[in-house]
């Protein structure tokens, strides 16, 4: 059966989700989750949440899907141990260090691969199946036919997003927030840079094409396709930052859809809570030009009317749906939004009214125009109805009783619920009734007062001989049975596997640093080759989220986990920055998967790089083989979407160059042959003056993107000369001592 997985940014949202039919909940703790600005859960709150959920047969998954630095690993592992002791069902992870810890130490807690890992193909799924993942959350860019194929061949549980906010970038492939907002999305602190306005400019002709919310995705809504999605093991609603009534509405609607009794009105009700208008998503092959809302990045609401006149009473609105007092309205006027709460509503005679569906009048100070559209962004009455749906028991669990006893003996009750059995004895002695003994019907009537529990009485066999049982004693028995059944149903197997310290040590010799050049164009490749660069990446690049894995007899640069699986029998590949490697365990894991060299993430600063290398040395008695990008425009995001298509520039990328522009800078757009897009940072990373201070890195990489032939020549020569000069002065002597250079800040 397909699991309905709901978000909870608070305990109230968790209750709302479970009350409306969620099968599982995902939530975050105060650290290491990708929604750092949700309310999130303390450890005590988590324990309370797990007890509440598990008693109702609802699973709890904790999100620990950020990258984790070496200085944080001990805290992360402690949190994992703590939540394991709380009997969390699974953890959604991005970082290989977190993944490895769960698999190695926590056998009763599942490791789920987050969409942040960028798994979008069969190969990536099979890799993590081999590594003992229990579920893969596939990228939101994967279409339904490919999802079905992955599921069929991999025979691996998969999870897919079906509703809520979408990232314009492949998840895990966005550095935009960190680079221009200084808060990393891979650290759970996304500032929503994609929800800003940008100018789209043709930099070849210097033509401004638009100013719009060109990167702001519509919200995903697959409610019309739910029957096609039942092959998935879990369907996931996004929304840990949303309020409980949002969670209640969306969960309730998808529960009805899964159970086959949804109405058109139920579907329309999705518009009554937060939405940015809707798309069916890449999963159902939405056209790229229709997947963004270029006009508005936040709550759109739904159309309820139009301004048709200005009168003495104010503005007259012709309505196509109800407007009620206390609703929130948005009026679109000359490209700007006027948002307000309806404190007063009038009829044509200037009488106050509480509701209208035909025409009404409002009095506001802002100037409006005839034809301005009116939208409802918050339906007060609907939200009040949603609030009534929780807390409530979505279902109750059957108790079957076998009750027997004789006078002058204690009474015994055997109770069964979902194959769990308990037996209790009364703490009182049955007494023979002086007049009327307690009948089976009287016992049932008193015992069946279970409304304050999650249980209901189903079957009872009653064998008590001519005895009177006071109602207070039956109440006491009921409370004891509920408490003991809760205890038994919450008890689960639990075993923590200690580290035996027996790991294979993987080390590499340190060498004088070499130069690698990443080339985006053939012209750049030819320049690098002419200048004698030993390591060139051009036709040997396997990008993250790559579609195919051709056979190649050369060193490969692999950007995603699917590529690692596809070329697993080779030891001639380098992993790219896009795997977001920021700690020594992730480096070790990739080396153990045959990576000859590991490129460090853009997310690392120099102190963190030193910490990583030192931790690796301490554990392995030697060094990793590392590559570091020291020059180039960082890729702010890699996206399946193409902003050019929205403005009818499709195909023109072969003749012109394009960029996005905001108040801080210009961000070049790279268009790829498969119509995916990379948006580059406007600023160029250049560490040439710091090379001599960067120790224990075997390869420095130049990342060429928009540079022409002359620029490429000058940059490569500059770095070759610098490396040669540093070698002559022994500034690149690698420090083999375990602490040596770590006492010095290199930047």
């Amino acid at each position: 059966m397909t699991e309905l997985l709901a978000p909870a940014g608070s305990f109230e949202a968790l209750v709302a989700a479970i009350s409306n039919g969620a099968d599982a909940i995902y939530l975050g703790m105060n650290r290491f989750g990708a929604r750092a600005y949700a309310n999130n859960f303390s450890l005590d709150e988590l324990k309370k949440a797990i007890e509440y959920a598990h008693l109702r047969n609802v699973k709890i998954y904790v999100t620990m899907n950020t990258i984790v630095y070496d200085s944080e690993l001990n805290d992360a592992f402690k949190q994992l141990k703590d939540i394991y002791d709380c009997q969390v069902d699974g953890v959604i992870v991005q970082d290989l260090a977190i993944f490895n810890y769960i698999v190695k130490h926590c056998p009763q807690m599942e490791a789920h691969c987050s969409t942040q890992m960028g798994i979008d193909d069969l190969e990536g799924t099979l890799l993590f199946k081999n590594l003992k993942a229990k579920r893969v959350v596939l990228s939101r860019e994967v279409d339904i036919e490919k999802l079905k194929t992955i599921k069929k061949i991999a025979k691996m549980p998969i999870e897919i997003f079906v509703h809520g906010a979408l990232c314009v970038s492949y998840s895990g492939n966005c550095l935009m927030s960190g680079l221009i907002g200084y808060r990393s999305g891979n650290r759970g602190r996304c500032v929503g840079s994609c929800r800003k306005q940008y100018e789209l400019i043709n930099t070849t002709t210097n033509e401004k094409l638009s100013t719009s919310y060109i990167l702001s995705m519509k919200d995903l809504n697959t409610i019309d396709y739910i029957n096609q999605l039942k092959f998935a093991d879990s369907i996931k609603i996004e929304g840990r930052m949303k309020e409980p009534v949002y969670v209640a509405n969306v969960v309730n609607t998808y529960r009805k859809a899964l159970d086959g009794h949804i109405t058109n009105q139920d579907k329309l009700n999705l518009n009554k809570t937060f939405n940015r208008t809707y798309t069916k998503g890449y999963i159902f092959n939405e056209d790229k030009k229709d997947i963004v809302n270029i006009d508005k990045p936040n709550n759109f609401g739904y159309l309820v009317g139009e301004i048709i006149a200005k009168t003495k009473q104010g503005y007259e609105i012709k309505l196509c749906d109800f407007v009620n007092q206390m609703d929130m309205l948005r009026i679109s006027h000359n490209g700007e939004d006027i948002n307000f709460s309806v404190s007063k509503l009038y009829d044509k005679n200037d009488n106050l009214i509480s509701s209208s569906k035909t025409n009404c009048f409002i009095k506001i100070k802002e100037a409006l125009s005839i034809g301005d559209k009116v939208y409802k962004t918050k339906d007060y009455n609907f939200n009040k109805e949603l609030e009534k749906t929780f807390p409530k028991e979505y279902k109750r669990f059957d108790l079957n009783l076998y009750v027997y006893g004789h006078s002058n003996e204690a009474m015994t009750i055997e109770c069964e619920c979902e194959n769990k059995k308990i037996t209790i004895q009364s703490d009182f002695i049955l007494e023979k009734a002086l007049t009327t003994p307690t009948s089976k019907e009287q016992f049932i009537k008193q015992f069946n007062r279970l409304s304050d529990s999650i249980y209901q009485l189903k079957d009872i066999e009653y064998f008590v001989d001519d005895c009177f049982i006071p109602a207070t004693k039956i109440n006491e028995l009921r409370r004891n049975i509920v408490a003991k059944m809760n205890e038994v149903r919450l008890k689960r197997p639990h075993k923590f596997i200690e580290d035996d310290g027996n790991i294979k040590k993987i080390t590499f010799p340190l060498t004088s640093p070499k130069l690698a050049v990443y080339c985006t164009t053939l012209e750049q490749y030819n320049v690098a080759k002419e200048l004698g660069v030993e390591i060139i990446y051009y036709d040997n690049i396997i990008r993250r989220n790559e579609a195919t894995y051709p056979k190649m007899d050369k060193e490969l640069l692999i950007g995603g986990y699917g590529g690692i699986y596809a070329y697993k029998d080779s030891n001639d590949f380098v992993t790219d920055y896009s795997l977001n490697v920021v700690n020594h365990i992730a480096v070790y894991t990739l080396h153990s998967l045959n990576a000859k060299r590991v490129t460090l993430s853009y997310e690392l600063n120099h102190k963190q790089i030193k910490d990583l290398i030192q931790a690796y040395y301490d554990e392995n008695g030697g060094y990793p083989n590392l590559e570091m990008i020291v020059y180039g425009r960082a890729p702010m995001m890699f996206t399946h979407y193409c902003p050019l298509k929205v403005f009818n520039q499709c195909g023109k990328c072969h003749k012109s160059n394009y960029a996005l522009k905001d108040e801080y800078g210009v961000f070049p757009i790279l268009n790829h042959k498969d119509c995916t897009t990379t948006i580059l940072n406007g600023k160029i990373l250049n560490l040439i003056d710091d090379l001599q201070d960067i120790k224990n890195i075997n390869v420095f990489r130049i990342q060429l993107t928009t540079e022409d032939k002359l620029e490429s020549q000058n940059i490569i020569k500059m770095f070759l000369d610098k490396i040669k000069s540093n070698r002559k002065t022994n500034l690149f002597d690698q420090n083999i001592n375990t602490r040596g250079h770590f006492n010095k800040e290199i930047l």
Side-chain angles (χ1 to χ4, degrees):
M1 187 178 77
T2 300
E3 173 188 89
L4 179 58
L5 177 55
S10 65
F11 188 81
E12 188 181 10
L14 176 141
V15 172
I18 295 174
S19 298
N20 281 279
D23 298 307
I25 303 293
Y26 68 101
L27 55 85
M29 304 292 288
N30 291 326
R31 294 187 68 185
F32 308 116
R35 290 292 182 269
Y37 301 112
N39 288 335
N40 293 318
F41 287 71
S42 67
L43 191 61
D44 286 340
E45 289 168 333
L46 177 66
K47 292 175 182 177
K48 178 182 174 184
I50 290 171
E51 180 173 323
Y52 186 90
H54 281 181
L55 282 175
R56 292 158 178 82
N57 285 355
V58 173
K59 294 182 177 180
I60 295 288
Y61 308 132
V62 171
T63 58
M64 288 185 66
N65 53 344
T66 62
I67 52 176
V68 182
Y69 300 125
D70 275 277
S71 61
E72 302 170 319
L73 285 176
N74 286 338
D75 288 345
F77 295 158
K78 182 181 184 305
Q79 181 168 299
L80 283 168
K81 178 65 164 59
D82 287 342
I83 67 175
Y84 184 55
D85 290 342
C86 294
Q87 300 190 336
V88 162
D89 296 281
V91 184
I92 305 169
V93 305
Q94 174 185 187
D95 198 293
L96 288 172
I98 305 300
F99 177 88
N100 287 345
Y101 187 92
I102 298 166
V103 171
K104 190 174 183 179
H105 298 291
C106 308
Q108 278 82 44
M109 188 165 71
E110 297 183 348
H112 295 183
C113 297
S114 170
T115 186
Q116 294 292 119
M117 282 186 164
I119 302 170
D120 73 341
D121 58 16
L122 175 63
E123 289 80 4
T125 305
L126 289 172
L127 175 69
F128 279 98
K129 180 179 182 179
N130 290 348
L131 294 175
K132 299 184 180 180
K134 297 302 182 185
R135 181 184 294 182
V136 170
V137 187
L138 288 158
S139 297
R140 284 166 275 202
E141 290 78 5
V142 185
D143 68 57
I144 187 166
E145 293 307 318
K146 188 173 180 180
L147 287 168
K148 289 179 178 177
T149 300
I150 293 169
K151 169 70 177 171
K152 181 179 179 180
I153 298 175
K155 295 180 173 57
M156 174 78 170
I158 65 169
E159 176 180 306
I160 55 178
F161 283 88
V162 295
H163 195 95
L166 291 171
C167 295
V168 66
S169 172
Y170 276 92
S171 294
N173 263 311
C174 185
L175 300 174
M176 194 174 203
S177 177
L179 289 173
I180 70 174
Y182 304 105
R183 292 193 339 217
S184 168
N186 284 314
R187 299 279 292 161
R189 290 176 163 78
C190 179
V191 297
S193 303
C194 56
R195 303 295 181 188
K196 290 176 51 180
Q197 276 193 333
Y198 293 93
E199 292 180 16
L200 176 63
I201 54 177
N202 182 324
T203 54
T204 302
T205 64
N206 205 28
E207 177 187 5
K208 175 182 170 181
L209 299 171
S210 80
T211 299
S212 64
Y213 298 99
I214 194 169
L215 299 179
S216 183
M217 299 279 275
K218 296 177 181 178
D219 284 355
L220 180 64
N221 181 342
T222 64
I223 197 67
D224 289 326
Y225 306 92
I226 204 69
N227 287 332
Q228 298 179 48
L229 298 172
K230 290 182 178 179
F231 71 92
D233 299 271
S234 181
I235 60 171
K236 184 175 191 174
I237 296 164
E238 184 278 336
R240 280 193 290 136
M241 299 290 287
K242 300 295 197 302
E243 58 187 347
V245 289
Y246 173 93
V247 175
N249 186 26
V250 180
V251 170
N252 179 272
T253 306
Y254 277 83
R255 180 76 272 160
K256 288 177 179 177
L258 279 173
D259 294 345
H261 50 76
I262 191 169
T263 67
N264 286 332
Q265 186 58 53
D266 292 326
K267 296 177 182 180
L268 290 172
N269 284 345
L270 287 172
N271 296 322
K272 295 183 178 181
T273 44
F274 187 102
N275 71 88
R276 298 181 178 90
T277 68
Y278 289 120
T279 172
K280 61 186 178 182
Y282 294 122
I283 185 174
F284 291 107
N285 300 298
E286 183 74 271
D287 193 307
K288 292 182 180 183
K289 72 178 186 298
D290 296 325
I291 206 162
V292 294
N293 185 340
I294 62 174
D295 298 320
K296 188 172 176 60
N298 45 27
N299 191 10
F300 190 88
Y302 63 102
L303 185 68
V304 292
E306 179 181 326
I307 303 294
I308 60 171
K310 186 178 188 311
T311 68
K312 292 180 181 180
Q313 296 101 313
Y315 291 98
E316 183 178 3
I317 305 174
K318 182 179 181 180
L319 296 172
C320 58
D321 206 334
F322 274 106
V323 168
N324 308 296
Q325 194 175 15
M326 302 302 291
D327 284 346
M328 290 290 296
L329 298 184
R330 173 177 70 85
I331 298 178
S332 180
H333 175 72
N334 292 339
E336 299 291 331
D337 284 341
I338 299 167
N339 295 282
F340 61 97
S341 174
V342 181
S343 57
K344 293 181 180 180
L345 199 62
Y346 301 88
D347 64 13
K348 64 182 179 180
N349 298 316
D350 209 25
N351 297 315
L352 283 170
I353 56 176
S354 61
S355 180
S356 178
K357 193 184 178 182
T358 53
N359 288 50
C360 66
F361 294 80
I362 57 170
K363 298 177 181 180
I364 60 174
K365 61 182 180 180
E366 288 85 359
L368 302 175
S369 301
I370 306 303
D372 284 352
K373 303 297 183 185
V374 182
Y375 301 85
K376 187 187 292 191
T377 56
K378 188 172 184 178
D379 189 314
Y380 179 80
N381 290 344
F382 182 68
N383 280 2
K384 285 298 179 185
E385 290 302 309
L386 286 174
E387 288 171 359
K388 294 177 184 177
T389 67
F390 61 93
K392 187 182 289 185
E393 297 305 333
Y394 181 74
K395 71 173 184 176
R396 294 184 183 273
F397 299 90
D398 292 337
L399 294 180
N400 298 310
L401 300 186
Y402 180 71
V403 183
Y404 56 94
H406 305 280
S407 58
N408 300 320
E409 295 179 0
M411 186 168 63
T412 300
I413 301 179
E414 296 175 2
C415 179
E416 181 271 334
C417 177
E418 294 192 310
N419 297 319
K420 301 286 186 181
K421 295 181 179 180
I422 61 171
T423 301
I424 68 167
Q425 281 194 323
S426 65
D427 60 359
F428 59 88
I429 301 300
L430 288 170
E431 295 181 2
K432 193 171 183 64
L434 297 178
T435 55
T436 306
T438 301
S439 67
K440 176 180 179 180
E441 290 70 27
Q442 289 171 321
F443 185 90
I444 291 173
K445 182 179 179 180
Q446 193 66 32
F447 190 91
N448 209 17
R449 296 178 178 180
L450 291 159
S451 59
D452 61 345
S453 77
I454 60 171
Y455 302 105
Q456 61 188 9
L457 186 59
K458 184 183 180 185
D459 294 326
I460 180 172
E461 294 186 45
Y462 186 79
F463 301 100
V464 179
D465 296 338
D466 297 333
C467 296
F468 174 73
I469 313 170
T472 55
K473 296 298 184 181
I474 298 175
N475 292 340
E476 183 181 324
L477 289 167
R478 181 183 67 245
R479 286 191 291 268
N480 289 343
I481 284 174
V482 167
K484 190 166 183 179
M485 183 56 74
N486 284 350
E487 181 184 346
V488 169
R489 292 182 65 239
L490 286 173
K491 190 173 182 180
R492 301 187 177 196
H494 182 78
K495 179 182 179 182
F496 183 83
I497 300 174
E498 298 290 347
D499 196 336
D500 60 10
N502 184 25
I503 69 163
K504 176 185 176 183
K505 299 185 185 302
I506 303 174
T507 63
F508 296 84
L510 291 177
T511 63
S512 294
K514 296 177 182 178
L515 184 68
V517 178
Y518 180 106
C519 301
T520 302
T521 67
L522 179 59
E523 184 177 59
Q524 294 165 353
Y525 171 77
N526 288 333
V527 168
K529 198 169 182 181
E530 289 167 6
L531 291 173
V533 175
E534 185 178 341
I535 304 169
I536 304 175
Y537 303 126
Y538 177 59
D539 57 354
N540 55 342
I541 300 167
I542 306 296
R543 294 201 319 257
R544 187 173 182 174
N545 308 111
E546 189 72 41
T548 59
Y549 301 105
K551 186 175 181 179
M552 294 194 215
D553 295 322
K554 58 179 75 175
E555 180 182 86
L556 301 176
L557 179 66
I558 293 179
Y561 291 112
I564 292 175
Y565 183 85
Y567 300 104
K568 63 183 183 298
D569 295 328
S570 167
N571 60 356
D572 201 19
F573 66 83
V574 179
T575 59
D576 206 357
Y577 73 91
S578 50
L579 292 180
N580 291 325
V581 172
V582 297
N583 61 65
H584 78 281
I585 296 175
V587 173
Y588 177 89
T589 304
L590 293 174
H591 280 324
S592 70
L593 292 171
N594 277 350
K596 66 183 289 188
R597 193 164 59 251
V598 175
T599 306
L600 297 175
S601 170
Y602 279 102
E603 302 268 6
L604 286 165
N605 64 35
H606 284 218
K607 182 183 182 306
Q608 290 161 344
I609 293 172
K610 291 195 297 180
D611 290 345
L612 182 156
I613 295 170
Q614 184 64 56
Y616 194 100
Y617 187 97
D618 290 345
E619 196 159 291
N620 290 275
Y623 287 93
N625 194 8
L626 299 178
E627 185 165 320
M628 178 179 173
I629 298 171
V630 294
Y631 178 91
R633 294 183 186 275
M636 292 202 302
M637 67 166 60
F638 174 64
T639 172
H640 193 63
Y641 163 71
C642 179
L644 304 187
K645 190 169 186 180
V646 180
F647 294 97
N648 301 314
Q649 301 295 301
C650 194
K652 296 182 180 180
C653 57
H654 301 298
K655 299 178 181 178
S656 296
N657 296 319
Y658 295 83
L660 299 179
K661 182 180 179 181
D662 69 1
E663 65 271 31
Y664 301 110
V666 177
F667 310 105
I669 297 173
L670 286 182
N671 299 99
H672 306 297
K673 291 179 181 179
D674 59 358
C675 293
T676 55
T677 303
T678 299
I679 298 173
L680 301 171
N681 195 1
K683 298 177 181 178
I684 296 175
L685 171 73
N686 189 348
L687 299 179
I688 192 166
D689 293 330
D690 304 292
L691 294 186
Q692 68 271 18
D693 296 319
I694 304 173
K695 307 294 185 181
N696 305 326
I697 303 290
N698 281 341
V699 175
F700 294 133
R701 189 202 300 177
I702 295 170
Q703 197 92 350
L704 297 179
T705 51
T706 61
E707 291 82 1
D708 61 23
K709 181 177 181 179
L710 182 58
E711 289 172 319
S712 299
Q713 286 175 335
N714 290 337
I715 293 162
I716 294 172
K717 285 180 179 178
M718 180 173 63
F719 273 86
L720 285 172
D721 290 345
K722 185 70 172 181
I723 290 173
K724 185 177 180 180
S725 171
N726 285 342
R727 283 176 182 158
K728 285 182 178 179
T729 56
N730 295 320
L731 290 175
F732 273 149
D733 284 348
Q734 304 282 32
N735 196 320
I736 307 299
N737 296 322
T738 57
R739 285 289 166 189
H741 69 278
F742 286 86
N743 294 322
K744 177 185 175 185
E745 291 296 330
I746 57 179
L747 273 185

